[in-house]
Amino acid sequence: MSEQGLVVLDQVNKRFGDHHVLRDVDLSVRRGEVVVIIGPSGAGKSTLCRAINRLETIDSGTIMIDGTPLPEEGRQLARLRAEVGMVFQSFNLFAHKTVLENVVLGQVHVLKKSRADAEKKAYELLERVGIGGQAAKFPAQLSGGQQQRVAIARALAMEPKVLLFDEPTSALDPEMVNEVLEVMTALAREGMTMVVVTHEMGFARRAADRVVFMADGEIVEQNAPDDFFGTPRSERAKSFLAKILTH
Amino acid sequence: MDALLLEWDTVVAAFWMTVRLAAVSALGSLVLGTLLTAMRVAPLATLRRTATVYVAVARNTPLTLVLLFTGLGVGANLGVELSSDIATNNFWLACIGLTAYTAAFVCEALRSGINTVPVGQAEAARSLGLGFLQTLRLITLPQAFRAVVAPLGSILIALTKNTTIALVVGVSEASVRMREMIETYGDQVMQIFLGFAAGFVLLCLPMGLLFGWLSRRLAVAR
């Protein structure tokens, strides 16, 4: 890929003891691109996603965000993380803060916006993800689907350059998966750069520009969704798809 | 009961001293304990080690020794003078000793509180771009405090009773007054003793109830 990507991973390696979780991973995500990472569990998908904002350290290789190498520690790392939004499997909304506060907090304490501006933006975003009426509630009072939509609003409030989703629907009851996927699909259409680790193949087909298939810490193949799901090239992708798509 | 009634003013004054010792030391140990907790989870190994050693020493030394050290060691030997008035000086020395000792227990309680906060809370905070101290101040510590309100209440009660040891640095709190009265009114030992015990119960019981109520009210729903 000749074009400079917004997120560029070059020869990234990571080990947990003897377990080699990321092997020579190269990945470049263009501005506005939606990359969906799929693969069997233990493939290193989540680790890859978390490495992009350094919630996981890496052993070797480089990760660049918008031309800047990921800093190791301190203020520069914090500044860079503010530009990379993250949505977690278990939502991780601040349990002692209201929904509104969850979306306001980063704007006030990291972006140094005034409270009034931050609240205005928070209400807009909560409206956009369909939970405008719940602003005064605490996270535990919301359903999982609602909590995850708040988490997306919280990430969007930072106006990130790229949004990372680490299995955003895996902890949800089945009837709540779609409300979250709808918000994500809308974001993808609006041109948000997204890296999504998921098991939702429907979402991958519908919203992805590119599907990245990982197994055993490696990127095995990557392709446009129709090509990947229609004519997978590698044996491992074929057997993975056969297992999940036959029923 | 004659003695207690006769000396009512001095009894109240002595208990007032107990309350002041407890209040100042509670505030001090809350601040120092929080600082120690922050050090114990800090990314710098030196800070972590310093706090660990401090807690180990302060928590495992008898309070009488700690107070004698602040009184005789810091006060008399090193000549640290916090006030020209000797009673005020002794009061502050006692507060320093009580704070230094109690902060270790506050730190241990708070640290166990931090362990109740899921890792994801800090990860979410860091991923928004909050720094270490911001994450601690805005996300981790507030939730940790709410989890350990009841144990902090127990520490406050223990502290209030521990103020009686301030007598070793010459602070006239309730237990000193009790001793003086027993010497003066030798025929009423039981009454005096029970009177002062009731005073401490009256002081500490509401604390327990208050902190129990607070801990239910402030609990974080997950």
Side-chain angles (χ1 to χ4, degrees):
Chain A
M1 208 169 290
S2 57
E3 185 197 353
Q4 171 79 21
L6 180 59
V7 178
V8 181
L9 283 76
D10 183 30
Q11 291 293 299
V12 170
N13 276 281
K14 180 176 180 73
R15 284 187 178 78
F16 285 125
D18 289 340
H19 187 37
H20 203 159
V21 275
L22 296 177
R23 295 171 195 259
D24 299 330
V25 172
D26 291 320
L27 179 69
S28 181
V29 181
R30 293 188 314 275
R31 206 175 294 274
E33 191 180 22
V34 176
V35 171
V36 170
I37 304 177
I38 64 171
S41 56
K45 309 179 299 281
S46 284
T47 309
L48 179 68
C49 187
R50 289 163 57 85
I52 296 175
N53 68 354
R54 215 180 156 80
L55 287 177
E56 299 284 352
T57 56
I58 55 173
D59 297 334
S60 66
T62 56
I63 299 175
M64 309 263 281
I65 308 285
D66 206 6
T68 314
L70 207 53
E72 298 227 326
E73 271 307 324
R75 271 176 216 286
Q76 290 91 346
L77 178 60
R79 199 170 305 141
L80 199 121
R81 276 178 172 153
E83 297 177 351
V84 180
M86 179 97 183
V87 176
F88 299 86
Q89 180 176 349
S90 49
F91 331 131
N92 294 347
L93 292 180
F94 304 132
H96 63 309
K97 302 258 181 206
T98 61
V99 164
L100 182 69
E101 277 301 314
N102 265 275
V103 186
V104 161
L105 191 106
Q107 299 185 66
V108 169
H109 292 280
V110 178
L111 302 180
K112 308 293 178 196
K113 286 212 252 175
S114 76
R115 229 197 135 71
D117 288 350
E119 285 192 6
K120 186 163 167 282
K121 172 130 194 150
Y123 280 117
E124 281 169 22
L125 286 169
L126 289 172
E127 205 61 56
R128 187 163 142 199
V129 297
I131 24 183
Q134 322 274 6
K137 289 192 177 169
F138 283 90
Q141 295 172 288
L142 303 185
S143 72
Q146 290 172 323
Q147 288 192 51
Q148 194 60 300
R149 285 183 283 151
V150 174
I152 294 173
R154 176 174 70 178
L156 286 174
M158 306 302 288
E159 297 181 359
K161 289 176 178 167
V162 51
L163 264 184
L164 310 173
F165 292 83
D166 184 9
E167 303 202 20
T169 56
S170 298
L172 294 176
D173 292 334
E175 74 270 24
M176 292 167 185
V177 169
N178 276 334
E179 63 191 64
V180 172
L181 290 180
E182 273 163 26
V183 170
M184 290 168 60
T185 309
L187 280 174
R189 281 208 199 96
E190 288 160 28
M192 172 62 77
T193 312
M194 293 161 63
V195 176
V196 184
V197 173
T198 187
H199 296 293
E200 298 294 333
M201 298 303 146
F203 173 78
R205 274 180 194 275
R206 198 164 61 237
D209 295 311
R210 179 158 44 121
V211 173
V212 171
F213 175 73
M214 282 185 80
D216 299 324
E218 283 176 307
I219 293 182
V220 178
E221 71 173 276
Q222 41 185 319
N223 217 332
D226 288 344
D227 297 328
F228 175 77
F229 289 111
T231 51
R233 286 169 303 205
S234 66
E235 280 310 311
R236 274 192 286 190
K238 279 177 196 161
S239 85
F240 175 72
L241 290 174
K243 276 180 205 146
I244 56 164
L245 295 179
T246 45
H247 50 85
Chain B
M1 291 295 281
D2 297 353
L4 285 169
L5 291 175
L6 217 60
E7 303 272 357
W8 182 248
D9 291 355
T10 63
V11 173
V12 170
F15 268 108
W16 176 233
M17 177 55 84
T18 298
V19 169
R20 277 163 60 205
L21 279 171
V24 172
S25 309
L27 210 65
S29 51
L30 207 58
V31 172
L32 183 59
T34 308
L35 192 74
L36 286 167
T37 310
M39 286 170 71
R40 288 195 84 163
V41 297
L44 271 174
T46 329
L47 290 178
R48 284 200 303 271
R49 227 170 286 139
T50 309
T52 310
V53 170
Y54 178 90
V55 169
V57 171
R59 201 159 66 120
N60 296 308
T61 309
L63 179 57
T64 315
L65 256 67
V66 175
L67 282 171
L68 279 172
F69 175 76
T70 46
L72 300 176
V74 178
N77 198 355
L78 296 176
V80 174
E81 201 181 83
L82 300 156
S83 165
S84 52
D85 174 45
I86 205 156
T88 315
N89 194 45
N90 288 346
F91 171 78
W92 286 110
L93 286 173
C95 286
I96 288 173
L98 286 165
T99 296
Y101 176 81
T102 311
F105 292 88
V106 171
C107 173
E108 283 303 280
L110 262 183
R111 207 164 59 95
S112 76
I114 283 185
N115 290 338
T116 69
V117 182
V119 175
Q121 295 284 305
E123 283 187 348
R126 302 305 291 273
S127 76
L128 285 179
L130 293 169
F132 168 74
L133 283 175
Q134 283 179 313
T135 301
L136 205 59
R137 182 168 59 86
L138 297 167
I139 307 300
T140 321
L141 276 178
Q143 294 186 53
F145 265 110
R146 286 154 178 256
V148 297
V149 170
L152 285 179
S154 301
I155 293 172
L156 179 61
I157 289 171
L159 168 65
T160 307
K161 295 184 293 179
N162 283 343
T163 57
T164 52
I165 303 176
L167 72 91
V168 302
V169 283
V171 177
S172 308
E173 41 63 60
S175 74
V176 172
R177 187 71 203 115
M178 182 179 82
R179 228 196 244 181
E180 290 167 357
M181 284 177 64
I182 287 172
E183 277 165 23
T184 317
Y185 305 92
D187 55 333
Q188 297 178 41
V189 173
M190 279 307 175
Q191 292 95 316
I192 291 169
F193 186 78
L194 287 173
F196 275 90
F200 274 100
V201 172
L202 274 176
L203 215 53
C204 294
L205 203 60
M207 288 182 200
L209 294 174
L210 174 71
F211 276 80
W213 177 76
L214 273 178
S215 85
R216 282 190 298 278
R217 212 186 127 79
L218 294 175
V220 179
R222 296 196 194 280

